[in-house]
């Protein structure tokens, strides 16, 4: 009993330590902001809904099949709208999607996809695109779809309209710099987007891309049975089991993984072989919707775009938004959240090209490390009474 209790406490300490590392890294991202970006966006169709900071959508004893969804968005997920994309409209069609990259593991994933002649969709973070532009270019040139996943992976409902615009436009600029076109699809971090956020994204020319299969690789990548846990989500969906993430009852599937985790990437060959045997064909998310142009060209003579590029760079920290911020202007709750799940274990510190000093990075990691040591010490102190 003592041993079991002690191990449970140690596991909790390690999990908390990973969270501290991840949050520390996330807060180091500096999101570019340019006034020209704000001038480009028409807010006339964006409802004046209040900002909803993280934590404000958690409810107890709530019916998640009704009007309470948006109030309890973190417990229930936002109310789906007809325009939200969850799955593919055709049977036996599967779109693999990968979030939060590119990373040091994405090249390996691209090698795997190429070996099976499979195209996928990469929902990329702007801060990561700045770090790995050549990887994004390689993916695009190989025929994969590039979609936006914001610059710093924030809770969009907790941001003002202006801050959301900065997140999207900064990511857009990073992608254009890498591949010469901008994406037309965006995946909101954590799948969180209310009517205000969705209207704002639409006003910037984006379609909201969600998912109807989630193996929660960000929660299981460190477990010894990770192979079984990830593959089982695909097996269940392919054999007709309800995923609980398919409000439009789409017959085809869009799955969510993260190219941050080599453990998840290692399952891709098995997933592809299994689904092919089940009669599924692979496509990008846009292609499965019949959209042959998932990216928009940037005209070199576009005065608005050129003005934005020429505008002076300033930055805002992704951690600057607080719950007291006022508004100026689907999803499965608790998912798509690897930036709060041991990102440091995968050596992804999520910093923009204008990084904070290396000493600051070391300080954050050192503080996290010593915090973890302190927790272990506490666990050792209480071990005799467990």
């Amino acid at each position: 009993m003592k041993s079991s209790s002690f191990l449970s406490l140690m596991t909790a300490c390690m999990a908390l330590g990973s969270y501290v590392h991840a949050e520390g890294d996330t807060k180091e991202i500096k999101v570019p902001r340019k006034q020209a970006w704000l001038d480009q966006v028409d807010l006339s169709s964006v409802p004046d809904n209040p900002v909803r900071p993280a934590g404000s959508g958690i409810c107890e004893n709530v019916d998640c099949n009704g009007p309470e969804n948006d109030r309890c968005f973190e417990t229930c997920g936002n109310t789906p709208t007809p325009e939200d994309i969850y799955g593919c409209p055709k049977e036996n069609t599967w779109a693999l999607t990968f979030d939060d990259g590119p990373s040091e593991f994405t090249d390996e994933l691209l090698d795997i996809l190429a070996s099976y002649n499979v195209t996928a969709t990469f929902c990329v973070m702007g801060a990561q695109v700045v770090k790995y532009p050549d990887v994004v270019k390689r993916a695009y040139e190989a025929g994969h779809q590039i979609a936006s996943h914001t610059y710093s992976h924030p809770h969009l409902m907790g941001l003002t309209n202006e801050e959301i615009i900065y997140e999207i436009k900064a990511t857009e600029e990073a992608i254009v710099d890498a591949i010469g076109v901008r994406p037309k699809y965006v995946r909101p971090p954590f799948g969180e987007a209310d009517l205000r956020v969705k209207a704002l994204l639409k006003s910037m020319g984006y379609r909201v891309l969600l998912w109807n299969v989630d193996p929660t690789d960000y929660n299981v990548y460190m477990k010894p049975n990770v192979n079984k846990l990830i593959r089982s989500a695909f097996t269940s969906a392919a054999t007709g089991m309800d995923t609980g993430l398919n409000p439009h009852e789409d017959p085809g599937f869009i799955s969510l993984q993260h190219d941050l985790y080599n453990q998840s990437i290692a399952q891709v060959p098995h997933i592809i072989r299994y689904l092919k045997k089940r009669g599924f064909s692979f496509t990008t998310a846009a292609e499965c919707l019949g959209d042959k142009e998932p990216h928009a060209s940037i005209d070199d003579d576009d005065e608005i775009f050129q003005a934005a590029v020429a505008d002076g760079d300033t930055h805002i920290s992704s951690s600057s938004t607080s719950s007291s911020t006022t508004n100026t202007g689907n999803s499965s709750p608790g998912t798509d959240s690897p930036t709060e799940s041991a990102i440091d274990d995968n050596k992804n510190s999520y910093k923009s090209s204008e990084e904070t000093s290396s000493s600051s990075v070391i300080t954050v990691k050192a503080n996290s490390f010593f915090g973890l040591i302190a927790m272990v010490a506490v666990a050792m102190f209480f071990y005799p009474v467990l």
Side-chain angles (χ1 to χ4, degrees), residues 183-201:
K184 298 197 299 187
Y185 291 76
V186 59
R187 174 165 286 165
F190 313 98
E192 296 172 358
D194 61 3
L195 293 179
R196 175 179 71 94
V197 173
K198 291 175 183 177
L200 184 51
L201 295 174

Side-chain angles (χ1 to χ4, degrees), residues 213-285:
V213 178
D214 183 5
T216 65
D217 55 359
Y218 49 87
N219 275 339
V220 303
Y221 74 93
M222 76 299 288
K223 296 185 178 181
N225 60 338
V226 57
N227 297 3
K228 179 180 179 180
L229 292 172
I230 290 178
R231 295 183 205 178
S232 64
F234 291 86
T235 302
S236 297
T239 54
M241 294 184 64
D242 184 7
T243 66
L245 304 172
N246 201 14
H248 295 335
E249 298 183 352
D250 295 301
F253 299 98
I254 297 176
S255 56
L256 167 68
Q257 286 177 269
H258 298 82
D259 46 328
L260 293 177
Y261 308 118
N262 56 1
Q263 298 91 335
S264 188
I265 291 173
Q267 307 315 308
V268 172
H270 305 279
I271 291 167
I272 292 175
R273 290 196 297 267
Y274 171 78
L275 292 177
K276 281 187 174 182
K277 288 181 180 179
R278 298 286 308 183
F280 285 92
S281 59
F282 291 92
T283 179
T284 66

Side-chain angles (χ1 to χ4, degrees), residues 10 17 42 69 81 91 100 139 175 212 234 245-246 296 307 345 358:
M10 286 296 293
D42 180 6
N69 282 42
T81 67
E91 286 188 87
D100 290 2
I175 293 172
N212 58 2
F234 291 86
L245 304 172
N246 201 14
D345 290 344
S358 59

Side-chain angles (χ1 to χ4, degrees), residues 156-178:
L156 290 180
M157 290 173 61
L159 303 185
T160 64
N161 290 342
E162 288 83 356
E163 289 166 332
I164 294 173
I165 292 170
Y166 293 142
E167 284 280 348
I168 299 302
K169 290 296 185 178
T171 304
E172 188 174 292
E173 182 177 86
I175 293 172
V176 170
D177 287 346

Side-chain angles (χ1 to χ4, degrees), residues 17-38:
S18 294
Y19 172 80
V20 171
H21 274 235
E23 182 172 322
D25 287 337
T26 301
K27 286 183 177 180
E28 291 165 8
I29 298 177
K30 303 297 181 182
V31 181
R33 56 176 181 172
K34 300 178 180 180
Q35 179 61 41
W37 293 339
L38 303 182

Side-chain angles (χ1 to χ4, degrees), residues 6 26-27 74 113 122 125 134 140-141 147 153 173 187 232 235 241 243-244 270 274 286 300 305 332:
F6 178 70
T26 301
K27 286 183 177 180
E74 287 168 287
L113 295 172
F122 290 86
M125 284 179 54
D134 291 341
Y140 173 70
E141 292 179 345
H153 206 281
E173 182 177 86
R187 174 165 286 165
S232 64
T235 302
M241 294 184 64
T243 66
H270 305 279
Y274 171 78
D300 291 338
F305 179 76
S332 54

Side-chain angles (χ1 to χ4, degrees), residues 304-381:
I304 295 179
F305 179 76
Q306 292 302 322
V309 172
D311 192 22
D313 263 345
T314 55
H315 292 80
I316 183 171
S317 170
S318 63
S319 62
S320 64
T321 304
S322 68
S323 59
S324 63
T325 302
T326 56
N327 180 24
T328 58
N330 65 198
S331 63
S332 54
T335 60
D336 184 36
S337 55
T339 55
E340 295 182 11
S341 177
I343 286 178
D344 190 61
D345 290 344
N346 287 284
K347 300 179 182 178
N348 289 283
S349 58
Y350 283 2
K351 294 181 290 295
S352 69
S353 60
E354 296 188 17
E355 298 178 348
T356 55
S357 67
S358 59
S359 61
S360 298
V361 177
I362 293 172
T363 299
V364 170
K365 293 186 177 180
N367 288 342
S368 301
F369 174 75
F370 287 114
L372 179 59
I373 294 298
M375 287 185 287
V376 172
V378 171
M380 294 294 293
F381 177 79

